[in-house]
Amino acid sequence: MVPSLGGPSSKRDRMHVNSPSKQPLVTAAVGGQQLYISQFPCSHHTSQIKTMDPYNASESTPRQSATSGLKDYFIGATPLQRRLESVRKQVSVLPTPSRRKIPQCSQLQEDVDPQKVAFLLHKQWTLYSLTPLYKFSYTNLKEYSRLLSAFIAAEKQKGLAVEVGEDFNIKVIFSTLLGMKGTQRDPEAFLVQILSKSQNREGKVLWTGWFCCIFGDSLLETVSEDFTCLPLFLANGAESNTAIIGTWFQKTFDCYFSPLAINAFNLSWMAAMWTACKMDHYMATTEFFWSVPCSPQSLDISYAIHPEDAKALWDSVHKTPGEVTQEEVDLFMDCLYSHFHRHFKIHLSATRLIRVSTPVASAHTNGKIKILCHKYLIGVLAYLTELAIFQIE
Amino acid sequence: MFLYRTYTVMSPQKRVKNSQAQKRTSQGRNTYQTSLSAWKVKEKPSDSNIWKQNPVEAHEHVDDQAEDTLQMAVGYFEKGPIKTSQRKNTILEKHLKTVENVAWINGLAPETIDILLNVALSGKFGNAINTRILKCMIPTTLISEDSVVKAISWLCVGKCSGNTKVLFYRWLVAMFDFIDHKEQINLLYGFFFASLQDDALCPYVCHLLYLLTKKDNVKPFRVRKLLDLQAKMGMQPHLQALLSLYKFFAPTLISVSLPIRKKIYFKNSKDLWDSAVLAVRLRNHGHFSEPLKLTLVPVDLHPLKRKWNSHSVIPKLNSGSYTKGHGKKEMSLSDHLSCNRSLPLEQLQSFPLLLQNIHCLELPSQMGSVLNSSLLLHYINCVRDESLLLRLYHWLSQILQEECIWYKMNDYEHGKKFTNFLDTIIRAECFLQEGFYSCEAFLYKSIPLWDGLCCRSQFLQLVSWIPFSSFSEVKPLLFDHLAQLFFTSTIYFKCSVLHSLKELLQNWLLWLSMDIHMKPTMSSPLETTLGGSMNSVATLIHYVGWLSTTAMRLENNSTFLLHFVLDFYKKVCDIYINHDLPLVVLLPPGIFYASLLSLDTSILNQLCYIMHRYHKNLIAAKKNELVQKAKSEFSFSSKTCQQFNHYLTTMVGCLWTSKPFEKGISIDPKILEKSGVVKFKNSLNIVHHPSLLSYAATFVLQESPEERTINMSSIQGKKWNWYLDYLFSEGLQGLKFFIRSSIHHSSVP
């Protein structure tokens, strides 16, 4: 089962091995056993495509969303008809728009509480899509805290002895995440936290979940004012807690949670878009995981690249200022594939991409993500919101 | 005077008696005579003959006697003890025995129970006697609510001992189901609740409250009281039971958790009366199901363990008061519980109730639950609330996507679940006579991935319920994918697709004809004019025409398939007359000629019928066109008329005048020579048509059975007419209609 792995061949490659900081890793793990081979992944490609113009993302003007033009088209239609229309549009232009903006630092993010943002970063979040909340009101957050904590306590203690008079040992806090939005039309994001309550000191956070909508125009256009659209829900904590809280939301606001998985196609997009982000300094490596379905154990291939190399590769395939096109994504991935094939004789294109980690964020196909870079938080969330909206349509 | 018999053995009479008893008790206190004078009056029922015929007449006699002694006994108790002497005690004992015997064998009438309850609780006799009386308070069939209320009033006077009280509550619990009404008893809820203070009574009162509690009874102060009690007395199963019921009604009020494992909360109070209760139930069986139904305690006291999104596909029906409270800012919980002007869904059990409360119905907190409630579907049908439909839309879209099997691994169990769910949706759509938008959206996403096998019937039904819209818009999303499956699948699949397209056409036509008559100017954004709508329908018909023509080629002109195709056109040909919509679309030549030259008589017959209806529709359309010029924008193209006339001449040529294909089709004489059919011109008429040939032969044989060679050409002149009558008598109605309408009698050769 061990693939024949070609060792470093050229002198150039060896030279790069000597500088550990720039040492990219190509790792192939077979049934748990890992083999590390040092490689410089992009040397061949960079020389081939050097002629392409490098470009600066921040100079570009953001392209108008393709869907915003729909609004005029549906004047007078009922929300349902508008929804159906958008589904038709969505289905007929499958799979997804062929070009997207490169994530950028959003102006709106300035008024976000930095502490809260820090709290959201570097945590693993499980993604869910959420249909619009019916009769949700931001003025009732306190009441919701009370009701939800009662609900959780009741659910949790089921089957145990009751000690009357004792307060629940948990506390639920609803709070808004001010400024966490793409446009002014986006509803305010909010955070739900469950804290353990002990007598003397500040409680420990047991579970956190937050709801947001970044550039959710296409969804906002299709619902009436009774609804609050927060299509993206991110949870961190025990799955059982997520289940209880989700159930409460579903019962109270007649909404529906579905786990949001990310397919390989979208993972490639993430890889490209996040690689394209300009970073002052790189904190983490860029790494890809592929899975080869074979029995008895699946073969996982990990492919780590120094982020600067990844960026160099991206810059060489990138043409359109300010945005990422489908073509570029394909080309970017193809370059990685062909390099890998050159050395290991493995066609990665025949395997399945299951995880992408970049200095900006990392995402797993099972819908778990971790956002690392504060600067591109909104950009990452915008794409995730888009995926969530796609799922609920 | 009102007749009353205490007990009988036969059920028919009992039924009479029961209904009388019911009438009597329901008349209220005024007519309710406690004095035995009225009660004692006996009168033979008017239908005494029946009594006479009764085989158990002798038995009746014995009963009559027993009744007399019972009346005496009751009378004795009612008067109360005169003096307690030894002799009196034996009399008392005798009467008590009488009552006990009757009670345990046949039960006591409501009146008797009323009197004896009074006796037992008023403390006229000693404790031992009271206990014995209470123990034999077994109804024949039911107990009047008034008696119970009166009995309860005795509890306040304090004339009876604690033991008697306990026994009375136990009795009340055991006999709860046999009390005819409970409204007044429920009004005493506060009184019972106060009795919880009494430690001895507490378990029994709890049980009674458990049976009695309605949602309105659950108040914050009561919850507090119960929790206090629990704090004082510790975890008592009966208190827990009551608490869990409260929690069921008002989950927000009670945050303490309650054990779920414990099933038996109450010691069986019925044990004293076990056999008696069983006997009463047997007697009541079928007669008094209604009072039983009214007392049903929520069946599902402990909802199933909640799993994440998976306990049940369709959510349970819960009224939305829970959510509604959040809308108003300063709404306290007690407000939220006491504002009961609107009707909670749990109480919505009948159509009349729906009608009465339609203005103040609490909608379910999860709209998906309406799928399981036909009453709410009625409601949805008449309420055009956009947000209500949106809630349903979002939920249904997600569920369909999540449950759909081919998005997941193949799982038979799950597949069945999904099929059932689709069936539920289709039932709801049929009920509403309207498709759901979410199903349409679901089809767009899933049809491209569909294998054509999985849930086929459900999928095709969903297709037929696609709401009316522009066909050309739906086509690339749906029908193009369906066409791929259509052409590559078996003939049976083709037939089912054609069938569902026929249903789709019918649904669209019904919707359009309704819509046009309700609002002359259509507000739909997709189709702004009637012409646009008609255009969409016409495109659908043309599309099906294309599908069927190709399918006919693929399936070698299968008769089976042709049946389904013609079935579709049977709908198409009558659009103008049946639906009053200005549209006539003819069937394509590929179908027309295949049907005309089919070897199957029923196909020809069907075609004749369709042509006949086309004829009628076109004539009606023409007439209308002349009358009102307003509709001129929908004038049928002269092409349609020309085409129809061409079809008609061809048919008449083939069936009647033996001059087939005079125009349009020219056949090389060489080919004709080769085929050996030189006189082809005479080969096609009602006699020689391949599908009618066997009829002609049978006809000729019937006329002259001795004939050795059958001479078809003998069918001429008068015989031709007889032959026609013969064909019609064989059930070829379509042919009959066609010939009657298209061929004038004068033209008969």
Side-chain angles (χ1 to χ4, degrees):
Chain A
M1 295 303 288
V2 183
S4 64
L5 304 168
S9 48
S10 69
K11 268 189 179 172
R12 256 176 87 198
D13 286 347
R14 277 179 212 278
M15 277 167 64
H16 282 285
V17 173
N18 293 337
S19 71
S21 67
K22 287 199 83 179
Q23 179 182 351
L25 283 176
V26 176
T27 315
V30 184
Q33 191 193 357
Q34 294 207 325
L35 301 157
Y36 293 90
I37 298 106
S38 304
Q39 282 293 335
F40 182 72
C42 303
S43 53
H44 314 286
H45 310 293
T46 38
S47 59
Q48 282 167 15
I49 13 187
K50 224 171 220 167
T51 49
M52 292 176 182
D53 289 337
Y55 101 107
N56 194 343
S58 57
E59 282 171 12
S60 63
T61 47
R63 194 178 163 273
Q64 256 222 315
S65 163
T67 46
S68 63
L70 290 177
K71 199 188 160 195
D72 304 328
Y73 188 69
F74 296 120
I75 285 172
T78 66
L80 262 180
Q81 279 159 338
R82 267 178 275 153
R83 283 221 61 64
L84 191 69
E85 212 44 52
S86 94
V87 171
R88 282 186 187 160
K89 272 273 167 342
Q90 187 205 57
V91 174
S92 49
V93 296
L94 261 177
T96 38
S98 61
R99 43 186 67 226
R100 290 192 177 87
K101 279 191 290 179
I102 290 176
Q104 283 169 53
C105 218
S106 163
Q107 294 303 309
L108 288 158
Q109 219 177 329
E110 300 304 324
D111 46 301
V112 178
D113 181 359
Q115 256 191 320
K116 278 190 174 161
V117 171
F119 180 78
L120 302 178
L121 297 177
H122 298 285
K123 271 201 179 65
Q124 180 171 278
W125 300 102
T126 308
L127 302 175
Y128 293 86
S129 66
L130 177 67
T131 62
L133 301 162
Y134 178 66
K135 297 256 183 205
F136 176 84
S137 162
Y138 285 96
T139 53
N140 288 337
L141 294 185
K142 271 221 170 99
E143 174 84 349
Y144 297 152
S145 307
R146 221 166 49 74
L147 290 172
L148 180 56
S149 65
F151 184 81
I152 295 168
E155 287 293 312
K156 286 244 166 173
Q157 291 172 23
K158 223 171 224 178
L160 297 174
V162 194
E163 284 179 50
V164 181
E166 198 202 62
D167 226 346
F168 332 123
N169 49 8
I170 55 137
K171 192 177 166 192
V172 176
I173 302 172
F174 277 66
S175 56
T176 49
L177 294 164
L178 282 173
M180 187 75 86
K181 39 164 87 173
T183 65
Q184 283 305 334
R185 277 190 73 191
D186 286 333
E188 217 68 62
F190 71 91
L191 183 77
V192 179
Q193 276 177 296
I194 303 179
L195 307 169
S196 69
K197 204 154 78 179
S198 42
Q199 281 82 359
N200 37 18
R201 46 173 49 223
E202 187 106 332
K204 199 181 117 206
V205 177
L206 296 176
W207 181 93
T208 313
W210 46 300
F211 301 74
C212 70
C213 176
I214 312 289
F215 296 111
D217 290 3
S218 64
L219 181 65
L220 294 169
E221 277 163 9
T222 60
V223 295
S224 57
E225 56 193 10
D226 283 336
F227 295 92
T228 308
C229 295
L230 293 161
L232 185 63
F233 171 67
L234 305 95
N236 171 271
E239 164 94 31
S240 59
N241 280 330
T242 312
I244 293 173
I245 290 144
T247 309
W248 183 80
F249 271 92
Q250 289 190 162
K251 287 190 160 188
T252 314
F253 304 110
D254 202 0
C255 53
Y256 197 82
F257 289 83
S258 313
L260 180 62
I262 308 167
N263 59 26
F265 178 84
N266 291 323
L267 281 175
S268 324
W269 264 92
M270 288 175 177
M273 283 196 296
W274 297 345
T275 304
C277 292
K278 262 183 66 173
M279 301 282 280
D280 301 331
H281 56 281
Y282 295 102
M283 303 292 286
T285 63
T286 296
E287 197 171 4
F288 300 88
F289 287 84
W290 281 271
S291 163
V292 187
C294 58
S295 59
Q297 265 170 308
S298 68
L299 173 73
D300 284 338
I301 300 169
S302 113
Y303 187 168
I305 310 157
H306 192 282
E308 280 175 25
D309 294 332
K311 182 75 164 75
L313 172 63
W314 170 255
D315 287 343
S316 67
V317 300
H318 181 66
K319 291 181 279 195
T320 342
E323 54 186 43
V324 179
T325 65
Q326 183 67 55
E327 226 178 2
E328 291 168 355
V329 174
D330 293 343
L331 191 55
F332 178 68
M333 294 310 282
D334 283 346
C335 288
L336 293 173
Y337 291 158
S338 63
H339 179 77
F340 197 84
H341 182 251
R342 183 183 291 262
H343 290 285
F344 302 108
K345 302 286 175 279
I346 292 174
H347 289 286
L348 284 179
S349 53
T351 65
R352 199 163 64 95
L353 181 61
I354 57 163
R355 210 187 105 183
V356 170
S357 315
T358 71
V360 170
S362 74
H364 194 282
T365 184
N366 63 10
K368 293 213 163 47
I369 83 142
K370 200 184 266 188
I371 304 170
L372 306 171
C373 176
H374 157 266
K375 208 168 134 193
Y376 295 107
L377 178 64
I378 291 288
V380 171
L381 290 174
Y383 186 57
L384 294 175
T385 305
E386 186 190 323
L387 295 183
I389 291 176
F390 183 82
Q391 180 157 300
I392 63 173
E393 283 197 329
Chain B
M1 192 62 222
F2 173 76
L3 155 86
Y4 196 78
R5 297 186 64 82
T6 318
Y7 46 86
T8 61
V9 273
M10 290 307 294
S11 60
Q13 283 80 24
K14 202 182 304 151
R15 198 170 299 166
V16 171
K17 187 192 64 184
N18 285 341
S19 63
Q20 286 166 340
Q22 220 179 4
K23 209 191 295 166
R24 189 184 166 98
T25 47
S26 62
Q27 274 164 358
R29 253 160 244 186
N30 299 346
T31 52
Y32 194 85
Q33 307 248 338
T34 43
S35 89
L36 281 170
S37 55
W39 184 74
K40 274 176 185 163
V41 176
K42 280 175 58 181
E43 206 178 272
K44 281 288 170 196
S46 52
D47 54 348
S48 51
N49 288 341
I50 301 169
W51 284 79
K52 289 270 157 57
Q53 289 156 10
N54 205 316
V56 281
E57 199 189 330
H59 201 131
E60 279 303 323
H61 246 17
V62 179
D63 278 355
D64 279 355
Q65 281 172 7
E67 199 172 312
D68 287 338
T69 52
L70 177 70
Q71 279 162 22
M72 279 167 66
V74 173
Y76 170 83
F77 283 117
E78 200 189 19
K79 269 180 232 141
I82 303 143
K83 244 173 207 164
T84 45
S85 64
Q86 195 59 35
R87 209 180 68 85
K88 294 283 180 217
N89 269 352
T90 52
I91 295 170
L92 173 71
E93 183 61 30
K94 192 193 96 191
H95 286 313
L96 204 51
K97 270 264 164 4
T98 313
V99 173
E100 280 175 340
N101 281 340
V102 174
W104 282 94
I105 295 165
N106 288 317
L108 300 173
E111 288 78 3
T112 319
I113 289 181
D114 183 80
I115 295 163
L116 290 177
L117 264 183
N118 252 324
V119 173
L121 295 171
S122 61
K124 282 179 191 166
F125 294 89
N127 251 341
I129 306 295
N130 291 343
T131 307
R132 276 178 71 181
I133 294 178
L134 270 179
K135 278 187 182 170
C136 67
M137 290 292 94
I138 299 156
T140 318
T141 49
L142 80 172
I143 301 164
S144 115
E145 184 184 20
D146 282 330
S147 322
V148 177
V149 172
K150 261 191 282 177
I152 293 164
S153 70
W154 278 114
L155 296 183
C156 311
V157 184
K159 287 217 170 175
C160 48
S161 69
N163 281 345
T164 315
K165 277 185 189 170
V166 168
L167 191 66
F168 173 71
Y169 275 112
R170 290 180 68 183
W171 174 81
L172 205 51
V173 167
M175 300 301 168
F176 193 78
D177 286 350
F178 306 125
I179 303 172
D180 55 357
H181 300 284
K182 276 141 197 135
E183 287 79 17
Q184 295 204 38
I185 298 178
N186 192 272
L187 292 179
L188 298 172
Y189 194 92
F191 169 76
F192 294 125
F193 198 88
S195 311
L196 285 174
Q197 303 276 39
D198 189 327
D199 288 353
L201 287 182
C202 184
Y204 307 103
V205 175
C206 265
H207 198 168
L208 179 66
L209 290 174
Y210 185 85
L211 297 174
L212 209 55
T213 302
K214 290 179 186 168
K215 199 178 176 185
D216 320 349
N217 298 128
V218 182
K219 304 274 157 122
F221 69 87
R222 288 193 179 133
V223 173
R224 259 195 313 275
K225 184 76 208 164
L226 276 183
L227 291 175
D228 284 350
L229 270 178
Q230 184 162 337
K232 199 179 82 192
M233 312 208 302
M235 278 225 300
Q236 298 294 334
H238 47 268
L239 282 176
Q240 277 182 359
L242 194 55
L243 271 171
S244 62
L245 184 67
Y246 274 34
K247 191 175 177 179
F248 175 84
F249 282 127
T252 47
L253 277 185
I254 300 166
S255 47
V256 296
S257 71
L258 299 160
I260 38 164
R261 275 168 297 153
K262 206 150 192 170
K263 283 266 165 66
I264 302 157
Y265 288 117
F266 303 106
K267 281 182 208 150
N268 198 351
S269 299
K270 291 189 179 87
D271 48 7
L272 269 177
W273 292 279
D274 243 353
S275 59
V277 166
L278 193 71
V280 181
R281 273 195 210 289
L282 279 176
R283 278 195 290 259
N284 284 353
H285 183 70
H287 301 196
F288 284 92
S289 54
E290 208 170 7
L292 279 174
K293 218 197 272 174
L294 285 173
T295 62
L296 280 181
V297 183
V299 187
D300 192 4
L301 206 57
H302 306 293
L304 289 169
K305 196 180 151 200
R306 272 191 205 89
K307 279 192 220 147
W308 184 227
N309 280 346
S310 66
H311 45 288
S312 154
V313 181
I314 301 174
K316 267 177 39 180
L317 209 59
N318 282 321
S319 58
S321 60
Y322 192 55
T323 334
K324 234 165 54 183
H326 308 315
K328 293 167 204 161
K329 207 172 154 190
E330 274 101 26
M331 197 159 181
S332 76
L333 282 173
S334 53
D335 282 345
H336 144 216
L337 279 167
S338 56
C339 78
N340 272 338
R341 245 162 277 148
S342 54
L343 183 82
L345 287 175
E346 289 82 358
Q347 288 174 25
L348 184 69
Q349 272 157 3
S350 65
F351 192 68
L353 260 178
L354 174 74
L355 288 183
Q356 280 163 25
N357 296 290
I358 201 146
H359 58 288
C360 62
L361 209 58
E362 268 180 38
L363 286 173
S365 59
Q366 283 170 289
M367 207 41 79
S369 55
V370 298
L371 285 186
N372 272 339
S373 158
S374 57
L375 284 174
L376 281 178
L377 282 176
H378 275 299
Y379 182 73
I380 297 251
N381 201 18
C382 52
V383 174
R384 295 278 117 192
D385 178 1
E386 200 63 53
S387 59
L388 184 155
L389 296 175
L390 263 174
R391 285 161 74 186
L392 190 61
Y393 173 91
H394 285 300
W395 173 81
L396 194 53
S397 303
Q398 288 300 287
I399 289 280
L400 280 170
Q401 201 170 325
E402 205 155 271
E403 294 295 313
C404 186
I405 354 172
W406 52 90
Y407 294 147
K408 295 183 177 178
M409 296 304 281
N410 277 335
D411 174 0
Y412 178 73
E413 265 305 295
H414 181 78
K416 268 190 108 172
K417 212 171 112 193
F418 182 58
T419 316
N420 288 338
F421 178 61
L422 288 182
D423 282 333
T424 311
I425 294 172
I426 291 161
R427 265 203 302 280
E429 288 187 328
C430 289
F431 184 86
L432 296 172
Q433 286 291 301
E434 193 177 338
F436 294 125
Y437 280 115
S438 10
C439 294
E440 185 182 347
F442 170 67
L443 285 176
Y444 292 160
K445 287 187 177 180
S446 56
I447 283 270
L449 307 170
W450 186 39
D451 60 358
L453 284 172
C454 192
C455 310
R456 177 192 288 182
S457 132
Q458 283 78 13
F459 254 70
L460 291 178
Q461 282 184 76
L462 284 184
V463 167
S464 66
W465 278 112
I466 292 178
F468 175 77
S469 58
S470 152
F471 183 81
S472 49
E473 235 172 279
V474 182
K475 184 175 165 280
L477 302 171
L478 194 85
F479 292 104
D480 286 350
H481 298 286
L482 196 60
Q484 285 177 8
L485 282 171
F486 180 84
F487 290 132
T488 51
S489 299
T490 62
I491 184 167
Y492 303 105
F493 183 80
K494 292 189 176 84
C495 293
S496 357
V497 169
L498 286 174
H499 179 75
S500 73
L501 288 173
K502 186 193 84 182
E503 302 273 302
L504 176 70
L505 176 69
Q506 175 166 315
N507 289 333
W508 280 18
L509 290 174
L510 283 175
W511 189 86
L512 278 174
S513 50
M514 284 277 294
D515 206 62
I516 281 167
H517 296 133
M518 285 200 312
K519 33 183 182 171
T521 49
M522 288 181 50
S523 61
S524 163
L526 304 170
E527 297 297 337
T528 43
T529 60
L530 180 63
S533 309
M534 286 303 104
N535 198 28
S536 176
V537 177
T539 333
L540 168 67
I541 297 170
H542 286 306
Y543 180 76
V544 177
W546 170 73
L547 270 187
S548 18
T549 310
T550 318
M552 284 301 286
R553 263 209 318 271
L554 286 171
E555 298 293 340
N556 295 320
N557 293 328
S558 155
T559 311
F560 188 65
L561 183 69
L562 201 50
H563 268 295
F564 281 86
V565 176
L566 290 183
D567 222 27
F568 179 81
Y569 281 99
K570 220 165 162 182
K571 198 103 274 152
V572 174
C573 66
D574 253 343
I575 291 175
Y576 191 88
I577 289 178
N578 278 358
H579 299 278
D580 200 13
L581 295 171
L583 186 72
V584 181
V585 181
L586 291 178
L587 69 182
I591 301 302
F592 173 77
Y593 289 106
S595 315
L596 181 59
L597 301 176
S598 165
L599 297 180
D600 191 283
T601 326
S602 65
I603 292 285
L604 181 71
N605 186 47
Q606 234 174 320
L607 178 71
C608 287
Y609 178 77
I610 289 169
M611 289 304 285
H612 157 70
R613 292 308 303 176
Y614 269 129
H615 196 191
K616 289 255 172 208
N617 276 267
L618 279 169
I619 286 172
K622 272 257 169 213
K623 217 187 251 169
N624 238 339
E625 217 174 343
L626 289 175
V627 173
Q628 26 174 164
K629 275 284 166 205
K631 275 194 173 180
S632 59
E633 60 167 306
F634 311 118
S635 65
F636 303 99
S637 67
S638 53
K639 227 175 134 192
T640 307
C641 285
Q642 271 174 24
Q643 177 75 1
F644 177 77
N645 285 334
H646 175 68
Y647 281 164
L648 195 66
T649 1
T650 312
M651 272 186 87
V652 173
C654 285
L655 294 176
W656 201 258
T657 54
S658 308
K659 287 173 190 158
F661 314 120
E662 291 234 290
K663 275 185 277 178
I665 295 176
S666 60
I667 303 165
D668 193 350
K670 275 182 194 164
I671 296 172
L672 287 172
E673 225 170 282
K674 243 186 204 171
S675 67
V677 194
V678 191
K679 290 201 308 182
F680 77 97
K681 293 233 158 170
N682 295 334
S683 306
L684 270 177
N685 59 31
I686 210 160
V687 177
H688 291 99
H689 189 284
S691 73
L692 294 172
L693 206 56
S694 62
Y695 285 90
T698 323
F699 175 73
V700 171
L701 277 176
Q702 267 180 10
E703 290 290 299
S704 41
E706 299 83 32
E707 206 80 33
R708 277 286 169 97
T709 53
I710 300 165
N711 184 12
M712 298 294 192
S713 354
S714 70
I715 304 179
Q716 269 182 5
K718 266 203 169 149
K719 228 176 171 184
W720 180 276
N721 283 342
W722 294 341
Y723 174 61
L724 272 186
D725 289 337
Y726 167 75
L727 285 180
F728 300 159
S729 72
E730 287 293 303
L732 300 179
Q733 292 298 311
L735 188 71
K736 185 174 167 183
F737 285 132
F738 175 74
I739 288 177
R740 295 263 158 94
S741 70
S742 307
I743 294 156
H744 293 292
H745 215 67
S746 57
S747 71
V748 173

